[in-house]
């Protein structure tokens, strides 16, 4: 990359940050004229076009980016965003998916893909129509449905999970609503027409007998054994529990419940192999006898738990997922999520290697000096994976993100660096510089002041504070106030009831201002509000 091209790129980044989109595009174009093989230039210009709303040009530049650098996740992020803006969701999804093949830990790609997935799910769910209730209220066939709380609960379930439609398929009101949403002309009898008349209900109530126990003697005896087994299980008397569950199984060998209960005893006894084998048998028995999906899901989930106890995480994930395929269960879903988190943490621990981490960091430094910021970013990220306790590499990667105009990610890395090493002066200076680029002068000043606390002779921190003052001077009063309201210190001052009362007194009585300013603590807070433009002294 020529120095001149790099200079145009930096000017483009500054213009993009300042919202001068035409200037940014011009500068990036000049950089491309000097070096048309640099994918970063096309990527940045794609971002500028996208901000401008010129999505076709944004897409063209994003395509050029991945053409030049097909293994760079950021390029696919640009490509996916451009496709998404143009309404080509499937193409966007494919772009994000391809990017994750090259960079499976890329947070931007993961987030973008999840958001797109949610968007596509909403689009594929007719019940997610935001004006659903309004449409139903305007339709004479469905208006009265909205008066039924039970029906409204069904709608909420279907809004979040349309796969549960089969649960309510027998409710003609739901099918009527679906026909309206899909634009299909179907006539259903009104739900109210099927309701028995009050008199009929009364007659039935008076003559209805308690339901007969249709179980056979063998079934009743098996259930009795199961209850005895349950009581023993609750008392942790597992020997007795086994005896009663075995009796129930011998009497009714096709009942999945008895097998599942006995498997639970094996689990508590930490006999995980026996538990798994019996659960597999329970699943087979359940399928052969058409047991409800929820009952088949239980032994599958227990197999998952048994494998997790045995540290066989691959099989544990497999069976938890199989269980959720049979029937949705929040507890099983939570177990699966937690297990995947454990697997990821263990994989990260195995991958750690301080020596290789330092090698990757040194490589990142070399690439950074050459101006290959995407390459440096990849090396620094590898170093972070190898040793996430090294504060320096987060500071290095923050510098890289800054060069790529990813200021939010840069700030996040600096914050992580300072958590690891609160006395890292360079990180405070970097934080101040990033905040200045983001026009967050309060944050910038705070960072420079922290650096001066650690080294009162730090010239870069002093220069930074001067830069803050200069930038503040260019802000309009409204911009200063808006920025100040995002400052946590200002927020705390304004939330303080005592300070609010003092400010009211100062507004009503100017003489009170002089009295309050005698107090050093109050004077400091008032100075902060004056400096930020929240209040003015006349």
């Amino acid at each position: 990359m020529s120095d001149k091209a790099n200079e145009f790129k930096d000017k483009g980044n500054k213009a993009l940050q300042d919202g001068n989109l035409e200037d940014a595009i011009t500068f990036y174009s000049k950089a491309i004229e000097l070096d048309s093989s640099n994918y970063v230039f096309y990527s940045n210009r794609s971002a500028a076009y996208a901000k401008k709303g010129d999505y076709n040009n944004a897409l063209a530049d994003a395509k050029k980016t991945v053409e030049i650098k097909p293994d760079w996740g950021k390029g696919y992020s640009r490509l996916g965003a451009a496709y998404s803006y143009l309404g080509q969701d499937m193409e966007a999804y494919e772009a994000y998916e391809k990017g994750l093949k090259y960079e499976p830990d890329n947070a931007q790609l993961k987030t973008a893909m999840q958001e797109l997935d949610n968007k596509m799910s909403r689009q594929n769910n007719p019940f997610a129509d935001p004006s659903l209730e309004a449409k139903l209220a305007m339709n004479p066939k469905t208006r009265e449905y909205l008066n039924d709380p039970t029906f409204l609960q069904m709608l909420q379930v279907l809004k979040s999970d349309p796969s549960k439609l089969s649960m309510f398929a027998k409710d003609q009101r739901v099918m009527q609503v679906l026909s309206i949403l899909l634009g299909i002309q179907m006539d259903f009898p009104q739900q109210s027409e099927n309701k028995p008349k009050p008199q009929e209900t009364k007659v039935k109530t008076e003559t209805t007998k308690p339901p007969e126990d249709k179980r056979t003697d063998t079934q009743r005896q098996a259930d009795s054994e199961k209850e005895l087994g349950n009581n023993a299980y609750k008392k942790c008397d597992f020997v007795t529990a086994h005896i009663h569950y075995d009796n129930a199984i011998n009497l009714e060998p096709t009942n999945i419940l008895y097998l599942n209960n006995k498997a639970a005893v094996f689990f508590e006894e930490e006999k995980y192999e026996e538990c798994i084998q019996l659960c597999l048998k329970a699943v087979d028995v359940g399928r052969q006898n058409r047991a409800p999906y929820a009952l088949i899901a239980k032994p599958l989930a227990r197999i998952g738990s048994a494998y997790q106890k045995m540290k066989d995480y691959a099989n544990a994930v497999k069976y938890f997922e199989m269980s959720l395929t049979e029937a949705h269960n929040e507890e099983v879903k939570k177990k699966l999520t937690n297990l995947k988190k454990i697997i990821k943490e263990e994989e990260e621990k195995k991958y750690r290697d301080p020596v290789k981490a330092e090698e990757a960091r040194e490589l990142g430094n070399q690439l950074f000096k050459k101006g290959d910021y995407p390459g440096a970013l990849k090396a620094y990220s590898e170093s972070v994976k190898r040793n996430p306790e090294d504060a320096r590499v987060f500071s290095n990667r923050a510098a890289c993100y800054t060069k790529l105009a990813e200021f939010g990610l840069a700030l996040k890395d600096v914050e992580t660096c300072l958590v690891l090493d609160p006395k890292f002066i360079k990180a405070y200076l970097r934080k101040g510089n990033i905040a200045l680029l983001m026009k967050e002068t309060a944050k910038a000043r705070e960072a420079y002041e922290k650096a001066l606390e650690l080294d009162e002779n730090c010239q870069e921190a002093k220069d930074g504070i001067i830069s803050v003052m200069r930038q503040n001077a260019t802000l309009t009063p409204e911009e200063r106030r808006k920025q100040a309201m995002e400052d946590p210190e200002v927020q705390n001052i304004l939330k303080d009831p005592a300070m609010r009362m003092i400010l009211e007194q100062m507004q009503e009585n100017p003489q009170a201002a002089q009295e309050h300013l005698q107090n050093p603590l109050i004077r400091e807070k008032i100075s902060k509000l004056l400096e930020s433009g929240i209040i003015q002294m006349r």
Side-chain angles (χ1 to χ4, degrees), residues 198-233:
Q199 187 176 357
E200 292 175 338
T201 303
K202 184 176 180 182
V203 171
K204 286 181 181 178
T205 302
E206 290 174 351
T207 58
T208 297
K209 295 179 180 179
E212 295 181 8
D213 187 348
K214 295 182 180 180
R215 293 178 298 169
T216 64
D217 288 342
T218 302
Q219 288 171 333
R220 280 195 290 271
Q221 188 178 349
D223 281 345
S224 177
E225 289 289 345
K226 182 198 75 171
E227 288 303 318
L228 291 170
N230 290 351
N231 291 334
Y233 176 83

Side-chain angles (χ1 to χ4, degrees), residues 3 30 87 170 172 200 255 260 275 341 393 430 448 483 531:
D3 291 340
K30 287 181 178 180
K170 292 183 180 179
Q172 293 173 346
E200 292 175 338
N255 193 318
N260 200 25
C275 173
K341 185 179 178 183
V393 73
R430 189 153 280 152
Y448 292 133
Q483 191 178 100
E531 179 187 340

Side-chain angles (χ1 to χ4, degrees), residues 417-462:
C417 172
L418 290 170
V419 169
L420 293 170
D421 185 356
K423 294 184 178 181
F424 199 152
I425 293 179
K426 194 171 184 178
Y428 284 114
L429 296 173
R430 189 153 280 152
K431 181 179 179 181
N433 296 339
I434 296 166
L436 267 182
L437 288 169
M438 297 172 73
K439 292 190 174 181
E440 296 183 358
T441 53
K443 284 184 181 177
R445 186 184 191 104
E446 182 184 1
Y448 292 133
E449 287 175 347
K450 285 283 187 182
L452 284 172
E453 286 178 16
L454 295 169
D455 179 5
E456 61 182 15
N457 297 316
C458 180
Q459 189 58 45
E460 192 175 342
K462 293 177 182 178

Side-chain angles (χ1 to χ4, degrees), residues 447-513:
Y448 292 133
E449 287 175 347
K450 285 283 187 182
L452 284 172
E453 286 178 16
L454 295 169
D455 179 5
E456 61 182 15
N457 297 316
C458 180
Q459 189 58 45
E460 192 175 342
K462 293 177 182 178
D463 292 342
I465 290 176
I466 292 172
S467 297
V468 168
M469 295 168 67
R470 285 174 179 165
Q471 193 173 108
N472 273 334
T474 65
L475 297 176
T476 65
E478 184 57 36
E479 286 175 330
R480 287 179 64 199
R481 280 192 292 273
K482 182 181 178 182
Q483 191 178 100
M485 291 305 295
E486 296 173 358
D487 184 342
E489 186 179 348
V490 171
Q491 291 173 3
N492 289 333
I493 293 172
L494 294 176
K495 286 178 184 176
D496 184 348
M499 278 303 300
R500 283 162 58 186
M501 183 179 70
I502 289 169
L503 292 173
E504 288 174 7
Q505 290 177 354
M506 290 171 61
Q507 188 174 13
E508 295 170 2
N509 179 12
Q511 185 62 34

Side-chain angles (χ1 to χ4, degrees), residues 407-422:
F407 303 122
L409 294 172
L411 200 57
K412 184 179 178 182
D413 266 2
V414 169
E415 296 288 4
T416 303
C417 172
L418 290 170
V419 169
L420 293 170
D421 185 356

